[in-house]
Amino acid sequence: MSFHPQMPYGEGWHKSERFIPEAGADFAFTPEHRAQLEELCTHYPPERRKSAVISALYMVQAQQGHITGNAMRHVAEVIGCTPADVEDVVTYYVMFFTKPVGTYVLQVCRTLSCALNGAEKVTAELCKHLHVKPNETTADGMFTVMEFECLGACDRAPVIMVNNEHWAECQGPGDVATLVDGLRAKGLASLNGCHLVKERA
C-alpha cells in the first residue's frame, strides 16, 4: 500500500505552453523616450538598472501601442537584463498589451462588487454597442473591450478603466452609450475622473 497519490501520467499532463510573442517590426526607443529612460535609470544604482523595466514597457506602449518580441529584446538590451526577464513582467501584469489595441482600451472590472452590481451586463452592452466581443477592437481601431480583475473602487461599482489611467465609475448598462460617445467626441476630457482624485480636490 502506498500513500503517494497515483497520477495518470498520460497525454495531457506535464505540458507547458510558453507564451511566444510576435516578433513584430524592428524596435528602438525614440531619442526622446531613450533620454527619458536614461534619466529614470539614474534614480537606481547602476547594478539595478533593470528596476526601470515597467517604466520602459510603458514607453514602448506609448511609442507603438503594444509590446512585441523585438520591443522586449530592445528593452532588455537597454536596461541590462534578459529578454526572458522582460517577458516575465509583460505576461504577469495585465496593463501590458502584446497585441494591437484601440485608441481607448475599456476594461470592465468583474470582481465581486462590480459583478454583483451588473458588470457582466455592462460588458455585454459595451460589446453590443461597439459590435465586438471581449478582447476585440472595433473596426475603426478606436475601442478595445476587455475585462479586468479588481480596479479597487468597490464602492463605485461597476467600474470601467480607460487606458490604464482613467476611471469611469458607477457605470450601468444604460451609461455605456454616453461613455463611448463622449470619448468619440471629446476624448479623455469627457471622463469625470477617479473618485480618489475628486475627493482630494
Side-chain angles (χ1 to χ4, degrees), residues 23-28 64 68 70-71:
D26 289 344
F27 180 88
Q64 70 172 13
T68 59
N70 282 333

Side-chain angles (χ1 to χ4, degrees), residues 24 125 146 161:
E125 190 61 29
M146 295 179 173
M161 183 166 66

